Every structure is written in C-alpha cells, then in structure tokens.
Amino acid sequence: MAKSGGFVTMALSKGRILEDTLPFLRGMGIELIDDPEKSRKLIVETSDPKLRIIIVRASDVPTYVQRGAAELGVAGKDVLIENDSEGLLEPLDLKIAQCRLMVAVREGVDYEALINSGSRLRVATKYVKAARDHFANKGAQVDLIKLYGSMELAPLVGLADAIVDLVSSGKTLKANKLVAVEEVQQISSRLIVSSAALKLKHKLVQPIIDAFERKLR
Ligand code: ADP
Ligand code: MG
C-alpha cells in the first residue's frame, strides 16, 4: 500500500490531465508501463519502480491526496476551489488543461439588465462555491442550482437563467445557442502534494516537485 514506505503514488484523471502530465514525467525519464486510456487498469506502474500512477475521477484527486492514498496529484483549479484544502499544498501551476470558468446565458439575453433587474437570478452549475463567491462579490442575488453535468441544457429548458461552466473553445456553448458574458476565473491544473507526505517522504516527493518545476522554466 501507498503508506508502506519506499514509493510514491500520483493521482491523475484520464483525458487531458493525464495526457498533459505525461510530458512532465518524460522530462524525468519516466514512462507509463500500460496505457491507461486503453487498459482498464486503475493502478499503472511506471518505468520508475518508486513511482506509480492511480487513475481517479478528476474531482476525486484531492480526496486521495488528502487521505494519504496518494502523495501527489494533478487537479484543475476548478476542482480545488470546490474542495476543501485541508492538508494540501499546491506548489506549482502546471499551466495545463487551461480554460476559463464563465457565466453564460442564452443568445439575445441582456445579462446586465437581468443582473440589474433586482430579481433573483437562477444559476445552474457544478461549481457552486466559485459561483456563489462570484455573485456575492458582484452583490447579485442568485439561486444556485447544483448540477453534475450538461449545464448548457438548463437555460434552454427554463431550469435556469444562466450557467457557470468551463469554457475553452466555446463550441459547446455555440452549439446550444449560449454566449459567455462574464469571466469568473482563469483555470489551469495544479500539482498538489499532501503536506504530511512532503514531510514524511521528503526524499522521494521533493525531487518530483523539483523536476516538474524545472520543466516549467
Ligand atoms: P471530468 O469530465 O471528469 O470533470 P475532464 O477531463 O473533463 O474531467 O476535466 C478535468 C479537468 O480539466 C477539469 O477539472 C478542468 O480543470 C479541466 N477542463 C475541463 N474542461 C476543459 C476544457 N474544455 N478545456 C480545458 N480544460 C478543461
Ligand atoms: Mg468533462
């Protein structure tokens, strides 16, 4: 198990975070033994017997690291905002999986007028904490509706007046006749480290942080 000593576990999610983290590992001369996108294995050994990768849901990465099942992980800032940060350090912005958390409404809707109308805006989002802070800072009254996906649908069927969602190309918004009207936050993925592991396994963990850092220069 991860706790039993001589090796390090890094939690990654499939898709863009895994893909964009591999170059950092290659920079250390490390390759994965199996391709997690093809094999169904959730524990993937690497060419470094001291490092293994576990494949978890993007939003679960902080949990594995906080609870000591992994020493390190890569997680989107969106995920980190929604999670509590107890026991986590965020030493590096890896500048990968870049996108923006945005407010979007149906095409033709006057967002400013809607905000200024004084009536409570219904906002559907997976990013409840980020959205709550954003509208509170604007002094706007909102009812937040927690969704787990397909946020774009909510304004189309009258569930919400606006959504808060991640946007990169804007293609998904456009396909659903929505427009981004306001930025909530710039998002990128971060290297996260358990503060306990950094102390207890410093000799194994610090060199990995250093190697990621060197690749960023
Ligand atoms: P999931 O669907 O399980 O949330 P994703 O691979 O879609 O996993 O997202 C993982 C992370 O990648 C998100 O937490 C976010 O930081 C980032 N991300 C999500 N959507 C985009 C996007 N369209 N472009 C760039 N990065 C994104
Ligand atoms: Mg996704």
Side-chain angles (χ1 to χ4, degrees):
M1 296 304 295
K3 281 179 185 145
S4 72
F7 65 97
V8 168
T9 301
M10 179 179 290
L12 299 175
S13 54
K14 271 196 205 178
R16 65 193 115 226
I17 288 184
L18 174 67
E19 274 158 40
D20 294 354
T21 301
L22 290 182
F24 286 91
L25 297 176
R26 280 189 206 113
M28 306 167 65
I30 295 172
E31 299 283 345
L32 303 198
I33 300 297
D34 291 298
D35 177 359
E37 304 288 351
K38 291 195 189 112
S39 92
R40 289 167 188 245
K41 287 187 185 161
L42 299 176
I43 300 178
V44 183
E45 304 299 328
T46 74
S47 54
D48 180 347
K50 284 187 158 49
L51 177 69
R52 67 176 186 181
I53 305 300
I54 57 172
I55 303 298
V56 308
R57 191 72 198 258
S59 45
D60 292 335
V61 169
T63 305
Y64 281 83
V65 178
Q66 282 172 313
R67 293 182 172 267
E71 283 76 24
L72 299 133
V74 176
K77 188 67 187 174
D78 51 312
V79 165
L80 296 172
I81 291 168
E82 299 304 312
N83 263 264
D84 83 272
S85 58
E86 172 99 42
L88 284 184
L89 302 171
E90 197 187 301
L92 295 174
D93 181 352
L94 301 180
K95 311 265 174 72
I96 60 172
Q98 290 187 333
C99 53
R100 297 194 294 165
L101 194 58
M102 305 278 296
V103 181
V105 297
R106 290 172 72 168
E107 283 173 12
V109 166
D110 186 342
Y111 175 64
E112 288 306 318
L114 205 57
I115 286 282
N116 295 327
S117 72
S119 59
R120 289 178 84 86
L121 199 68
R122 296 167 305 152
V123 179
T125 188
K126 185 170 150 186
Y127 310 97
V128 171
K129 194 154 171 274
R132 185 182 294 120
D133 289 352
H134 175 74
F135 289 107
N137 286 337
K138 282 173 68 77
Q141 299 274 4
V142 295
D143 280 330
L144 292 169
I145 302 164
K146 167 84 184 185
L147 293 179
Y148 293 88
S150 302
M151 267 82 80
E152 298 84 3
L153 181 63
L156 306 181
V157 295
L159 178 65
D161 304 302
I163 62 171
V164 169
D165 198 5
L166 296 176
V167 180
S168 50
S169 70
K171 275 187 200 157
T172 309
L173 291 182
K174 199 146 197 277
N176 292 293
K177 296 189 158 43
L178 301 175
V179 280
V181 288
E182 194 165 67
E183 181 178 291
V184 174
Q185 177 138 9
Q186 303 254 9
I187 301 292
S188 56
S189 286
R190 314 300 165 103
L191 183 67
I192 61 170
V193 184
S194 139
S195 52
L198 187 59
K199 286 193 200 109
L200 295 169
K201 291 190 169 184
H202 191 265
K203 283 206 172 93
L204 286 171
V205 172
Q206 189 64 49
I208 298 175
I209 302 172
D210 293 343
F212 272 63
E213 206 260 327
R214 276 196 300 279
K215 184 90 168 82
L216 282 170
R217 282 194 217 131

